[in-house]
Amino acid sequence: MEETIVGTEAAQIPQQRGESLLETAVRYAEERHWDVFPGTWLEAVDGLQRCSCADASCPAPGAHPARPDWATQATGSPTVARRMWQKQPTASILLPTGRTFDVLSVPESAGFLALARMERMELTLGPVTLTPDRRMHFFVLPGASAKVPDLVRTLGWTPSSLRLTPLGEGGYVAAPPTRFGSRAVQWARRPTHANRWLPDAEELVSPLAYACGRDR
């Protein structure tokens, strides 16, 4: 079974350290066929790291879209991705949701609890990220946003009672190794050839809802 966080697989996609943002963005498009687009970046201002958007109170410094038409800017072409990051090599790597994948977002503590439970159950898992704002993002097949509220109700919860948030069409997530403030997004489970085929949200909602309920 694949190890969490410190897996030893010699995965081609992508190394968490050692690759530039440009090369990593290109590999996401080339190897995983994910759409990518460059977001904001961090700049040193008076000895402090500030978001390139120039908002001193930016809630996601260095990790949000840099332009309002970001959805049309996103590309699955490695050539176009390379060209975009050549213009701004320090731009964050953002991935639009609702295209090749949706994301189920849960608090970090609930995510680790659910991940351990899923591995004991030998569930098929896709990539999972750990974000600096203490969330975990589980990658699933598109369509999760429409399914999750009813699935949660079927399990006896109200959607508003759990901090389980599906991200689909119109949303985005930051991908490793994007820096978010003083820390970086990391893989809790890396993308590999073994998890190229994503699970359906229905397969993961029960352990995620259980963990979120325990974590309230």
Side-chain angles (χ1 to χ4, degrees):
M1 184 176 294
E2 181 183 351
E3 294 182 39
T4 300
I5 294 292
V6 292
T8 57
E9 295 182 54
Q12 292 185 15
I13 329 162
Q15 295 303 313
Q16 201 153 314
R17 297 182 179 85
E19 284 192 336
S20 67
L21 288 160
L22 183 155
E23 292 300 331
T24 304
V26 169
R27 289 172 76 86
Y28 286 141
E30 186 172 58
E31 301 287 349
R32 203 71 182 192
H33 305 298
W34 287 340
D35 284 1
V36 297
F37 68 98
T40 54
W41 56 93
L42 294 172
E43 298 177 330
V45 179
D46 297 328
L48 300 174
Q49 292 290 315
R50 297 286 178 84
C51 186
S52 61
C53 72
D55 181 356
S57 59
C58 178
H64 64 85
R67 43 194 280 185
D69 63 342
W70 61 264
T72 60
Q73 184 189 23
T75 180
S77 164
T79 301
V80 176
R82 182 176 297 278
R83 189 181 308 134
M84 290 194 294
W85 267 271
Q86 283 174 338
K87 292 179 180 178
Q88 182 47 254
T90 58
S92 53
I93 302 173
L94 303 182
L95 311 174
T97 51
R99 299 187 183 187
T100 53
F101 62 85
D102 276 8
V103 158
L104 301 181
S105 175
V106 298
E108 176 186 303
S109 52
F112 278 118
L113 177 64
L115 195 56
R117 184 179 177 88
M118 290 172 184
E119 289 178 339
R120 288 196 300 271
M121 296 168 66
E122 298 186 349
L123 292 180
T124 299
L125 292 173
V128 182
T129 60
L130 179 63
T131 68
D133 58 348
R134 308 189 75 82
R135 302 285 294 182
M136 288 182 75
H137 292 161
F138 290 74
F139 287 47
V140 295
L141 290 172
S145 293
K147 296 178 180 180
V148 166
D150 286 341
L151 291 172
V152 169
R153 291 187 190 95
T154 300
L155 293 168
W157 302 92
T158 59
S160 60
S161 68
L162 301 179
R163 292 183 291 167
L164 195 172
T165 306
L167 302 174
E169 187 174 358
Y172 65 88
V173 292
T178 294
R179 295 200 68 79
F180 186 128
S182 62
R183 297 172 59 199
V185 183
Q186 355 177 16
W187 289 113
R189 287 179 65 95
R190 298 174 185 270
T192 68
H193 292 293
N195 63 21
R196 181 176 294 277
W197 303 105
L198 299 176
D200 191 278
E202 190 169 357
E203 301 172 58
L204 305 190
V205 162
S206 179
L208 286 173
Y210 171 80
C212 287
R214 286 275 304 273
D215 191 55
R216 291 189 305 167

